[in-house]
């Protein structure tokens, strides 16, 4: 950890005065760093995979491109740590969730040429396949079934968690997936990828902030 602190101090140009551990997640160790000037940053360490922090940083950058909602600015992204902007939390204002919904809709209006993403990333500790192959790039049903449903099914199967009844039910889904989704007009739209109640904040002005994404289109 000392080596990480020294790298950060060199980048910031001042010494760390205080580091406070933040609890609430089980994916990484999180700390709020306070520097001699009073500046604060948010530090994540302890990932199980060297790609986790760099891909999380790219997810944050991808969301920032939409200019639709506030996300923490990426400061340093390396295999062993991720340093991002610290956002002071405040109280939700009266229209918080209405604003949040509209901002999410604007994220989804940010488009790409193909489904998926230029790199794979992680949802929690689990590897998430994003790089499309063949028809997956232009066929949402194919991408969703093969990269999401089938991939998770095979993970569960490799752990011995798939019973014969689940296997039969999954086969029925596979046979009906085209009619279930009906996505002839689907457009590659930016998604947070892992949005639940633990992955958004309220900033100092009462506005929404999204964190810990696993983006793809």
């Amino acid at each position: 950890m000392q080596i990480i602190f020294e790298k950060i101090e060199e980048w910031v140009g001042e010494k760390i005065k205080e580091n406070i551990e933040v609890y609430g997640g089980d994916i990484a160790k999180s700390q709020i760093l306070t520097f001699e000037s009073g500046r604060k940053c948010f530090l994540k360490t302890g990932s199980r995979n060297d790609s986790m922090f760099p891909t999380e940083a790219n997810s944050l950058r991808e969301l920032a491109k939409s200019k639709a909602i506030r996300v923490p600015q990426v400061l340093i992204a390396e295999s062993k740590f991720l340093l991002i902007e610290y956002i002071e939390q405040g109280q939700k204002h009266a229209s918080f969730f209405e604003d949040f919904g509209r901002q999410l809709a604007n994220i989804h209006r940010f488009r790409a040429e193909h489904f998926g993403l230029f790199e794979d990333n992680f949802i929690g500790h689990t590897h998430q396949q994003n790089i499309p192959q063949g028809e997956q790039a232009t066929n949402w049903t194919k991408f969703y079934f093969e990269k999401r449903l089938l991939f998770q099914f095979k993970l569960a199967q490799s752990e011995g968690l798939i019973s014969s009844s689940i296997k039969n039910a999954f086969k029925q889904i596979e046979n009906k997936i085209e009619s279930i989704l009906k996505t002839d007009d689907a457009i590659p739209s930016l998604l947070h990828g892992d949005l639940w109640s633990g992955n958004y904040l309220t900033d100092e002005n009462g506005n929404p902030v999204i964190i810990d994404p696993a983006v793809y289109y």
Side-chain angles (χ1 to χ4, degrees):
M1 184 62 73
Q2 186 58 38
I3 293 174
I4 291 175
F5 284 167
E6 288 173 0
K7 280 189 175 183
I8 292 171
E9 288 174 338
E10 182 180 359
W11 185 86
V12 174
E14 55 180 309
K15 294 290 186 181
I16 297 168
K17 183 175 69 174
E18 183 180 48
N19 61 295
I20 300 174
E21 192 160 350
V22 179
Y23 299 96
D26 61 352
I27 304 304
K29 180 180 179 181
S30 299
Q31 299 175 72
I32 299 170
L33 306 183
T34 303
F35 296 88
E36 292 173 329
S37 65
R39 177 183 181 180
K40 293 183 178 181
C41 295
F42 194 84
L43 174 66
K44 299 176 76 169
T45 58
S47 71
R48 298 181 185 177
N49 189 296
D50 285 348
S51 299
M52 186 174 288
F53 291 144
T55 57
E56 180 179 342
N58 286 336
S59 284
L60 289 169
R61 294 182 182 114
E62 203 70 19
L63 287 170
K65 288 179 186 178
S66 73
K67 299 180 180 178
I69 194 168
R70 187 174 180 184
V71 296
Q73 180 186 359
V74 176
L75 304 176
I76 311 176
E78 295 194 1
S79 61
K80 300 303 181 186
F81 73 96
L82 175 63
L83 187 72
I84 60 176
E85 172 191 10
Y86 172 72
I87 296 176
E88 196 76 46
Q89 295 188 58
Q91 298 296 315
K92 297 178 181 68
H93 53 63
S95 63
F96 177 86
F97 285 109
E98 181 177 352
D99 292 345
F100 197 0
R102 292 182 186 281
Q103 290 172 13
L104 286 175
N106 286 331
I107 287 175
H108 299 160
R109 290 189 179 98
F110 195 74
R111 306 290 167 77
E113 186 176 351
H114 300 301
F115 296 110
L117 196 66
F118 58 87
E119 66 179 359
D120 295 340
N121 51 30
F122 298 84
I123 181 161
H125 287 301
T126 304
H127 184 74
Q128 179 166 267
Q129 292 187 334
N130 295 322
I131 301 172
Q133 297 169 309
E135 291 180 48
Q136 295 169 354
T138 54
N139 185 317
W140 171 244
T141 301
K142 195 169 186 65
F143 179 92
Y144 182 72
F145 181 78
E146 295 179 359
K147 294 295 191 184
R148 294 296 177 262
L149 301 184
L150 184 59
F151 178 69
Q152 292 290 335
F153 178 85
K154 288 180 176 179
L155 281 180
Q157 194 172 44
S158 70
E159 295 293 328
L161 301 174
I162 299 298
S163 65
S164 57
S165 60
I166 292 176
K167 188 175 182 179
N168 291 335
F170 190 82
K171 188 66 177 177
Q172 292 180 50
I173 291 173
E174 182 177 8
N175 293 335
K176 297 178 180 178
I177 193 70
E178 293 283 350
S179 60
I180 291 172
L181 293 184
K182 297 178 181 177
T183 58
D184 292 341
D185 58 349
I187 298 171
S189 301
L190 181 60
L191 301 178
H192 175 283
D194 189 18
L195 190 56
W196 63 289
S197 61
N199 283 351
Y200 75 85
L201 308 172
T202 308
D203 73 10
E204 64 276 8
N205 297 314
N207 297 310
V209 181
I210 49 178
I211 59 173
D212 297 344
V215 308
Y216 60 95
Y217 289 85

